Amino acid sequence: MNQTDTQRPDTAAPPADGVARRDRAIINPATGEVIRTVPDSTVAEVDKAVEVARTAFDSGPWPRMPRSERARHLLRFADAIEAHTETLFQLETRNNGRPITETRAQLARVPEWFRYNAGLLAAQRDAVLPGDGPYLTYQRRSPLGVCGIITPFNHPLLILARSLSAALATGNTVVIKPSEMTPLTTLALIGILRDAGLPEDVVMVVTGGREVGERLTGHPDIAKITLTGGTEAGRAAAVATAARFARVTAELGGKTPIVVFDDIDPLVAAEGAAFAAFVAAGQSCVAGSRFLVQRGSYDAFVEALSARASAIRIGDPAQPGTQLGPLISSVQRDKVLRLIATGAQEGVRITAGGGVPDLPAELGSGYYVQPTVLADATMSMTVTREEIFGPVAVVVPFDGEDDAVAMANDNRFGLGAGVWTRDIGRGHRVADRITAGMVWVNDHHRLEPSLPWGGVKESGTGRDAGQESFDDFTWIKTVVVRTAADDVDWYGSTEPGRLN
């Protein structure tokens, strides 16, 4: 597949007559250079995309296809994605700036989600429900209709695959809006799926920014929205979908606490902490961003984490030796630098990084920030409370277990958390007490297609991936069948009856 193949203009909404579209430059964040332009869809084009997908749902073959056949389609999709993985991860690195070692590892797993949901579909059973009397009661699951999927810039293809594979497996049609900054692998993926046999009009793509997302979220024919993004976007989606009682799954912001106890080697914990904080340049909703470290190992941990951060190789993400790439945009870079400066004003000690790295001239226009460690923070500081979304680790000391749990839960977010300890009982105990949708013990960022992904509090609602996501793309119909030989004659009977 060459660059021209990735454009696949036939996968986007058809243009609306007489309405001019604005072309958006897609930037390589490593260099600041334009990769190509992609037109912003108009509101009329969003409406047309939904109309086309609705027609495909109402009268097309996909929702009516035997489950075994639809499962075979998903398996073919997985094989096709696998065959194009190298092209996809190179394109994604170019588009969002993640080091190629990271995108290669991540995108190599995308086919797993299609295979997993194909398996759920093939193994799906309709429940038979217990009840009194001569009745057989069972449930049937049906697809919702047209589902909207809104994806972010940081993990464009993986996050899309989580929702798209479940939506397609359950017989829905889909309209996708990728991040306006990183649409390229989404357009490429849909082209691959069409070549692998995805029926016409089952998946549509609209591109653009907030106006496009708001129209898709508020469209009366969208039965469910799955959104990954900021908390305010999620709140707006929840309000828009509530007006028509549509479903919404929203995976939103985070300020992930990583609790490090002094029974673990601080060097071991610091190595794990560095991965949690700096993978994807910290641009992940579950990135480790608040490190709560027991005082007994606090100084050693800060020293080890700072040394590891300072040794990370920053550079061109297309090069295999690069360990940390740029942030997605100049706006995000400037926001991160402002928050680091705010931390310094509030009294943190910058023990690693804190600024822009010195890089070769060809990368001078890229959006880089050094891996940064802010030590001696307190729970009241801005950098401890607000999501930074950059390669910044904030370190706060704590005394005992109760103190650690209280500090971990002292935040408006509740997406992910981590616990580092060699005491297995403590690991289970603290994980149980932390208010977060996902908790890792002695690891971070671990995910599988079977693991429900999502948060609580202002980190969102619903779950992506797992059986939970698969089921939430369907609605349940309960069927009650009277099996008795005699007829029902409530008013003609002389015997006392039972009214249910």
Side-chain angles (χ1 to χ4, degrees), residues 26 189 321 347:
I26 306 302
L189 176 69

Side-chain angles (χ1 to χ4, degrees), residues 468-487:
E468 290 78 1
S469 175
F470 181 91
D471 288 346
D472 200 51
F473 279 101
T474 66
W475 59 273
I476 295 175
K477 177 189 294 181
T478 301
V479 181
V480 182
V481 180
R482 190 172 189 272
T483 59
D486 59 317
D487 295 328

